[in-house]
Amino acid sequence: ICIIGLRSVNEDLMSYVDDKKILYFTPREIADDLENAQDQISMFTEDEKIWINLDVDCFDPSIAPNVDYPEPEGINFREFQEIVSALKGKIIGMTLCGGNPMQGNVTEFLAVKSVFEILSKV
């Protein structure tokens, strides 16, 4: 398991993540050292089967305001593209969640563009 865009985690969940040695990156870590995140993601996914659960909440609300839990300091689309480009395994499936279509269509467009970005790796 690798979690990209982790933020607002309670102590119990963080303890679980640490105990299970789950690889994760906060948006701040990605912004501060995208190249390091890409390198680690490349190593983690090399020759692996990859299932992606894209929760649109990972994006910053400045580009994805219509999500279930909008929270400042998410990732931007360029960072997302760079992370997707770092994937080295075979994508075998994907789910998409977190968008709130009742509030508008800006986030829906970003979600579709993100899915296309992932599909370009298949």
Side-chain angles (χ1 to χ4, degrees):
I1 296 174
C2 176
I3 303 171
I4 298 169
L6 182 68
R7 56 192 199 271
S8 288
V9 179
N10 68 34
E11 189 175 315
D12 290 338
L13 182 56
M14 199 63 224
S15 178
Y16 179 84
V17 167
D18 289 338
D19 287 345
K20 299 297 181 184
K21 297 184 179 15
I22 295 173
L23 180 63
Y24 69 90
F25 301 93
T26 66
R28 175 68 51 104
E29 291 169 333
I30 293 167
D32 289 348
D33 195 351
L34 179 58
E35 189 173 317
N36 176 57
Q38 287 178 287
D39 290 345
Q40 288 189 55
I41 290 165
S42 289
M43 287 187 294
F44 184 79
T45 60
E46 190 167 2
D47 298 323
E48 296 290 336
K49 293 178 181 174
I50 304 168
W51 184 279
I52 297 172
N53 178 48
L54 175 57
D55 187 335
V56 187
D57 287 342
C58 73
F59 291 108
D60 190 81
S62 65
I63 61 169
N66 305 330
V67 296
D68 292 332
Y69 302 102
E71 185 178 333
E73 295 190 6
I75 65 173
N76 65 45
F77 190 72
R78 185 191 64 78
E79 291 165 338
F80 176 79
Q81 288 176 303
E82 295 296 331
I83 289 165
V84 170
S85 73
L87 299 174
K88 298 298 180 201
K90 180 180 180 180
I91 298 171
I92 61 167
M94 185 178 115
T95 54
L96 175 69
C97 65
N100 189 338
M102 300 303 290
Q103 295 180 12
N105 65 7
V106 173
T107 304
E108 291 169 348
F109 181 74
L110 176 66
V112 169
K113 191 169 178 160
S114 299
V115 168
F116 283 138
E117 189 71 28
I118 292 167
L119 289 175
S120 73
K121 293 286 290 181
V122 175

